[in-house]
């Protein structure tokens, strides 16, 4: 079993940008994280350091506690930005401060795509999104202005699925569901529409596009 990061390394990991995973620290700290496979040094100037998928998993794990699910790790009480995944317990926050946070997070994600996709493409998801499918899909929807289900109001819900690299997106049938599909396709996701066998409700199955 790999040794957990030191307290100093953990502080550097926890302070990483919540969307891009960009790290700040001393050269020694960053080099140590690279050697442990928790960070990588970007090959292009200014050669910033970013969390690897393993580093993101460390940040989402509370020390001495089991690893959290994507929904738990995204708890707004932690003070870390989290896209709204939708649900009856979701806070209905549509104020200007939230809009600025979402816009900033989406722009940061586009920059992460540019820096980490091999060809610098921003029109398809990057490795971070494939490691955080629910949050990535929810951010694309929220950034495009779709309302999440919250506080009794209808809207989208993004949930993990047993399928690798796929999330289920539920929304009111008809125009709202088609609008969510259009947004995800424009954000670089492959989207199909399906019917729940028991409820007959329509939903989307979305996967990050690779090419």
């Amino acid at each position: 079993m790999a040794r957990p990061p030191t307290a100093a390394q953990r502080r550097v990991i926890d302070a990483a940008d919540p969307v891009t995973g960009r790290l700040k620290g001393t050269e020694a700290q960053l080099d140590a994280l690279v050697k442990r496979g928790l960070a990588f040094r970007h090959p292009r100037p200014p050669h910033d350091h970013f969390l690897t998928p393993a580093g993101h998993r460390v940040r989402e794990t509370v020390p001495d506690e089991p690893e959290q699910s994507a929904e738990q790790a995204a708890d707004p009480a932690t003070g870390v930005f989290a896209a709204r995944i939708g649900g009856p317990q979701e806070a209905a926050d549509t104020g200007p401060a939230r809009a600025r946070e979402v816009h900033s997070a989406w722009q940061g994600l586009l920059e992460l795509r540019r820096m980490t996709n091999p060809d610098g493409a921003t029109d398809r998801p990057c490795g971070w999104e494939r490691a955080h499918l629910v949050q990535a899909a929810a951010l694309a929807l929220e950034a495009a202005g779709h309302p999440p289900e919250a506080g009794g109001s209808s809207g989208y819900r993004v949930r993990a699925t047993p399928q690798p690299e796929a999330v289920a997106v539920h929304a009111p049938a008809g125009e709202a569901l088609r609008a969510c599909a259009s947004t995800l396709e424009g954000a670089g996701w492959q989207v199909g529409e399906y019917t729940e066998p028991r409820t007959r409700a329509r939903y989307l199955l979305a996967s990050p596009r690779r090419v």
Side-chain angles (χ1 to χ4, degrees):
M1 189 175 193
R3 287 186 301 109
T6 66
Q9 291 171 344
R10 179 74 199 216
R11 284 193 293 272
V12 173
I13 292 172
D14 289 342
D17 185 279
V19 174
T20 66
R22 183 177 294 182
L23 294 161
K24 293 182 180 179
T26 66
E27 282 299 319
Q29 288 173 328
L30 297 174
D31 287 346
L33 291 175
V34 169
K35 290 177 181 177
R36 299 187 62 169
L38 301 176
F40 70 93
R41 184 173 183 266
H42 199 276
R44 293 201 293 268
H47 302 298
D48 287 329
H49 288 73
F50 296 85
L51 290 175
T52 62
H56 279 289
R57 287 194 294 271
V58 168
R59 186 174 62 175
E60 292 171 0
T61 305
V62 177
D64 301 321
E65 294 286 345
E67 187 169 342
Q68 296 174 305
S69 69
E71 291 84 355
Q72 291 170 323
D75 186 348
T78 62
V80 175
F81 173 84
R84 306 295 190 208
I85 65 172
Q89 305 305 317
E90 189 84 90
D93 184 358
T94 58
R98 177 65 187 177
R100 287 192 296 270
E101 285 183 350
V102 173
H103 175 76
S104 177
W106 179 248
Q107 293 304 310
L109 185 55
L110 293 178
E111 177 65 8
L112 183 61
R113 288 182 177 187
R114 185 187 71 79
M115 296 186 69
T116 60
N117 279 334
D119 57 357
T122 60
D123 62 349
R124 68 174 184 275
C126 59
W128 182 89
E129 290 167 275
R130 294 187 177 88
H132 301 79
L133 293 170
V134 172
Q135 280 288 300
L139 177 55
L141 292 172
E142 190 176 3
H146 298 281
E149 179 183 340
S153 62
S154 61
Y156 68 77
R157 284 180 290 115
V158 184
R159 295 293 183 267
T161 73
Q163 299 189 41
E165 290 207 350
V167 294
V169 179
H170 305 267
E175 185 177 344
L177 193 64
R178 289 192 295 271
C180 287
S182 178
T183 290
L184 289 171
E185 288 170 351
W189 294 66
Q190 294 176 317
V191 183
E193 189 172 330
Y194 299 87
T195 301
E196 288 275 7
R198 285 178 292 183
T199 65
R200 309 307 298 169
R202 301 291 285 173
Y203 71 99
L204 305 175
L205 198 63
S207 300
R209 182 167 57 83
R210 287 190 176 276
V211 293

